[in-house]
Amino acid sequence: MDKKKGHPEAAPNKQLQFSDNSASSQRQRLVDWLKRIGSITTIEARSLLDIMAPAPRIFELRAIGYDIATVWTNGITDQGKKHRVARYILRGVSHE
């Protein structure tokens, strides 16, 4: 069985394009991803969703009722460097 690294949406050489980079648009991209996939790392948010600082967006989502856990893990950047990064995991939503 051939195991692929990463998420299915993160196909090689596939760049997603986002025209709006406002905080509200970034929050919506994060929510959509978390509802569909369940979790995302800082590195994935930066490279796949074009969110350079995901921590403030997560903070804002928590403030409006999203139950998002943070688990510390190691991740590899596109440059091949290992970093300690957050993995954000959607546990639930208290306002829906």
Side-chain angles (χ1 to χ4, degrees):
M1 180 175 177
D2 182 27
K3 289 189 176 183
K4 303 228 183 223
K5 235 178 151 183
H7 295 295
E9 292 78 9
N13 301 321
K14 181 179 178 185
Q15 283 293 92
L16 301 176
Q17 298 295 316
F18 303 105
S19 59
D20 184 359
N21 228 1
S22 65
S24 62
S25 180
Q26 290 180 37
R27 283 192 301 273
Q28 189 60 54
R29 291 197 299 267
L30 266 174
V31 165
D32 292 345
W33 182 276
L34 290 171
K35 285 182 176 179
R36 193 171 69 251
I37 305 299
S39 73
I40 193 166
T41 67
T42 301
I43 294 169
E44 292 166 341
R46 288 177 180 163
S47 66
L48 300 175
L49 302 181
D50 196 31
I51 301 172
M52 295 298 103
R57 304 295 82 86
I58 294 294
F59 178 84
E60 294 159 357
L61 289 171
R62 287 174 175 149
I64 60 172
Y66 287 91
D67 183 8
I68 301 170
T70 300
V71 176
W72 292 99
T73 187
N74 291 310
I76 307 296
T77 64
D78 291 340
Q79 292 74 32
K81 302 294 182 185
K82 184 177 175 181
H83 292 268
R84 182 175 182 256
V85 297
R87 174 170 293 280
Y88 301 107
I89 303 167
L90 181 62
R91 295 189 296 198
V93 183
S94 63
H95 69 278
E96 287 188 340

